[in-house]
Amino acid sequence: MESFFDESGEENSLSKLSRLSLWFFLHALLALASWLALMLVGYALNPDGVSQSIILILSMLVPLVVGHFVARIHPDDMASAVWLLGLIWLLIISLWILDMPTGPNQCFQCDATDKLSRTFFSVPKPSGLIDDDGPFLATWPTAALVGYSLGAWLSLRRKKSSE
């Protein structure tokens, strides 16, 4: 893929920038759609005793496979950049969590590390903040975006090495 800065002319750069941003958000949408499909399959099957660690691993592996195949069909450098959106999303939710007050049944007397680890990973037990939905709202979607990016990067790396 050509670099954004190689082309001269404002019209070409603006159209290329809009095309790159469109592909970035389409890849992010594909990553989140594959994760959402995983969540819907899990909801339909409703298996008992599946730990959050397994869900976290699957939330990364399923979009990784999807990202790998999408990048093989349509090689695009933007596919390997959607992890940034996941990181930004995790940081926004982290700031929201850190700003929340604590109290009984809501991470009572927790420091910042406890708030984040108990909210996002439920270790050693859930924090009670945001109704214990931290993994669903932040950890698993971030893992999906990172997994998709990794899968696309592996596919693009293989394609570039074969050329």
Side-chain angles (χ1 to χ4, degrees), residues 2-109:
E2 298 173 14
S3 174
F4 172 68
F5 300 106
D6 288 345
E7 293 187 31
S8 60
E10 190 173 321
E11 294 173 11
N12 287 337
S13 64
L14 284 177
S15 67
K16 184 160 184 157
L17 180 62
S18 62
R19 193 169 9 115
L20 289 174
S21 61
L22 175 70
W23 277 110
F24 177 82
F25 287 111
L26 282 175
H27 285 294
L29 185 65
L30 280 172
L32 292 174
S34 65
W35 169 74
L36 189 59
L38 172 72
M39 292 292 117
L40 290 174
V41 166
Y43 181 73
L45 295 177
N46 198 13
D48 291 333
V50 176
S51 70
Q52 288 188 2
S53 307
I54 301 296
I55 298 171
L56 179 62
I57 291 168
L58 288 174
S59 293
M60 192 169 199
L61 284 179
V62 170
L64 186 141
V65 171
V66 171
H68 182 74
F69 286 118
V70 167
R72 286 181 78 174
I73 294 168
H74 179 75
D76 185 15
D77 286 337
M78 289 282 91
S80 61
V82 295
W83 66 271
L84 289 168
L85 184 62
L87 180 66
I88 291 168
W89 180 248
L90 186 68
L91 290 173
I92 289 170
I93 299 293
S94 295
L95 287 174
W96 179 42
I97 296 298
L98 290 174
D99 198 38
M100 288 183 153
T102 61
N105 297 324
Q106 292 184 339
C107 207
F108 190 57
Q109 296 179 341

